[in-house]
Amino acid sequence: MIKRKGGFLISKIHQVSGRIFNRILQEEGINGINSAQGRILFALWEQDGIPITALSKKTMLERSTLTGMLDRLERDSFICRKPSPDDRRVLLIHRTDKDRDLERKYKQISENMCDLFYKGMSKDEINLFEANLEHILDNCIEEETRNG
């Protein structure tokens, strides 16, 4: 039986790429934002003014983890929380001007990371790789949903 190491490799890639990404952020003068917080901001760049439950689904972060990260992002003026006009019990997460200034630079760094990830790979290899990752993610989500 061949011992598979996909999960181990994914974990190592996550760790190493996170260190590279954080180093580049610091080199570009982007302080106070780590890769996990960047994932939150990226989700808000796609859809601003969403409730924390929707943001949790988009980022796949547990609500308890997300709340602490949002506290730090709000403290540093990257986001703000406002009551929903439809339901005052629901807080919507909104972008700020400081976040808008960050978006262009952060997206360029993300594109550079993609170039690094896919260096030496053909378009077909990239498509197959991403399809396989989506399949693995779907399997994990299904398991978490069934047993979570």
Side-chain angles (χ1 to χ4, degrees):
M1 175 189 253
I2 298 173
K3 184 175 181 182
R4 299 293 175 191
K5 54 185 180 178
F8 180 67
L9 291 171
I10 289 170
S11 178
K12 287 177 77 170
I13 291 167
H14 176 73
Q15 290 172 337
V16 173
S17 65
R19 288 193 301 264
I20 293 169
F21 195 78
N22 288 332
R23 178 186 46 107
I24 294 170
L25 288 175
Q26 287 182 343
E27 289 171 357
E28 292 294 325
I30 300 172
N31 299 310
I33 298 291
N34 61 36
S35 57
Q37 292 166 321
R39 187 170 21 155
I40 294 167
L41 296 177
F42 191 82
L44 290 172
W45 297 338
E46 291 178 340
Q47 184 181 0
D48 191 16
I50 60 175
I52 192 169
T53 52
L55 191 56
S56 177
K57 287 179 185 173
K58 281 180 159 281
T59 61
M60 302 199 75
L61 293 168
E62 292 288 332
R63 197 175 159 139
S64 58
T65 301
L66 187 57
T67 300
M69 294 174 85
L70 290 173
D71 289 343
R72 286 186 290 282
L73 288 168
E74 187 171 38
R75 179 197 68 209
D76 295 337
S77 302
F78 288 104
I79 60 120
C80 63
R81 295 174 175 132
K82 297 179 183 175
S84 168
D86 301 326
D87 184 346
R88 308 287 282 163
R89 296 170 296 171
V90 175
L91 289 176
L92 301 179
I93 311 304
H94 288 274
R95 301 175 63 194
T96 64
D97 289 340
K98 185 175 181 179
D99 171 58
R100 285 179 180 81
D101 291 340
L102 173 72
E103 180 179 5
R104 183 191 53 77
K105 191 181 271 190
Y106 199 94
K107 282 186 173 180
Q108 182 59 54
I109 295 168
S110 294
E111 286 178 28
N112 293 344
M113 288 299 294
C114 279
D115 291 343
L116 172 67
F117 289 159
Y118 297 134
K119 187 167 71 173
M121 295 175 76
S122 71
K123 189 172 189 173
D124 288 340
E125 289 172 320
I126 294 168
N127 291 341
L128 179 60
F129 173 72
E130 288 184 350
N132 286 329
L133 287 177
E134 286 179 14
H135 187 105
I136 292 168
L137 178 59
D138 290 344
N139 289 345
C140 291
I141 291 170
E142 180 183 324
E143 176 66 19
E144 183 178 50
T145 302
R146 186 175 49 244
N147 294 309

